[in-house]
Amino acid sequence: MNLELFIARRLLKGSEAHSVSVPIVRIALVGIALGVCVMLLSIFIITGFKKEITDKVEGCVWKCIVTEQEAEQIASSFLVSNMRNSGKNVELRIVSERQPVAGAENVESTLEDAYLYHAQIT
C-alpha cells in the first residue's frame, strides 16, 4: 500500500469510531480549501480592476526617443511619467491624449500612467 494514501486514510477515517482528531482534520481541510478559494478570487478581482483602470488610459501613453534639449522642452509641455537616459538621447514615456511629438509611438499603459493621467485631469 502507498504510504501517503495510508496516512491520509488514517487521518480522515481514524483508527477508532470515536476518534477526536478526525473532525479536527476535516475542519482544517475545509478551512484550507476556503482560504485558497478566497485568495484566488481576490487575485482575479484585483487583476480585473487593474485591467479596467489601465484600459481607460489606453491610447494616451506615448514613448519617444529625443535629445536632452528636446526632452526638457517636452517635459515643460507634457506630463512625463518616465525619463531614461541612453547616451546622448533620452527615452521619454509621456501621458497625453494627443501625440506629443512626431515619431512618438503609442505604448501599453501601466497603473502608474493611469494614476498620473487621472491626477492630471482632477
Side-chain angles (χ1 to χ4, degrees):
M1 181 184 269
N2 191 0
L3 178 64
E4 294 87 2
L5 184 61
F6 172 75
I7 294 172
R9 282 187 181 162
R10 184 80 183 234
L11 284 174
L12 290 175
K13 293 183 180 178
S15 59
E16 301 174 8
H18 303 290
S19 179
V20 176
S21 65
V22 173
I24 294 171
V25 170
R26 288 187 180 162
I27 290 170
L29 285 174
V30 169
I32 291 170
L34 284 174
V36 169
C37 289
V38 168
M39 285 192 308
L40 287 173
L41 184 64
S42 65
I43 288 172
F44 296 148
I45 290 171
I46 289 171
T47 304
F49 282 143
K50 178 183 174 186
K51 179 154 177 50
E52 185 177 327
I53 290 170
T54 55
D55 282 350
K56 291 180 182 178
V57 190
E58 198 64 39
C60 296
V61 182
W62 305 87
K63 181 177 98 173
C64 62
I65 299 175
V66 294
T67 63
E68 290 184 15
Q69 292 80 18
E70 292 173 324
E72 291 174 10
Q73 293 172 348
I74 293 171
S76 65
S77 303
F78 294 97
L79 180 63
V80 177
S81 67
N82 192 358
M83 184 181 293
R84 186 180 328 170
N85 288 332
S86 58
K88 294 181 180 179
N89 294 328
V90 179
E91 181 180 316
L92 297 176
R93 188 175 177 94
I94 303 164
V95 180
S96 174
E97 291 181 353
R98 61 184 174 89
Q99 187 176 16
V101 293
E105 60 183 38
N106 212 325
V107 293
E108 186 177 346
S109 59
T110 63
L111 282 176
E112 180 185 22
D113 298 326
Y115 173 78
L116 290 173
Y117 178 77
H118 290 295
Q120 178 186 18
I121 291 174
T122 56

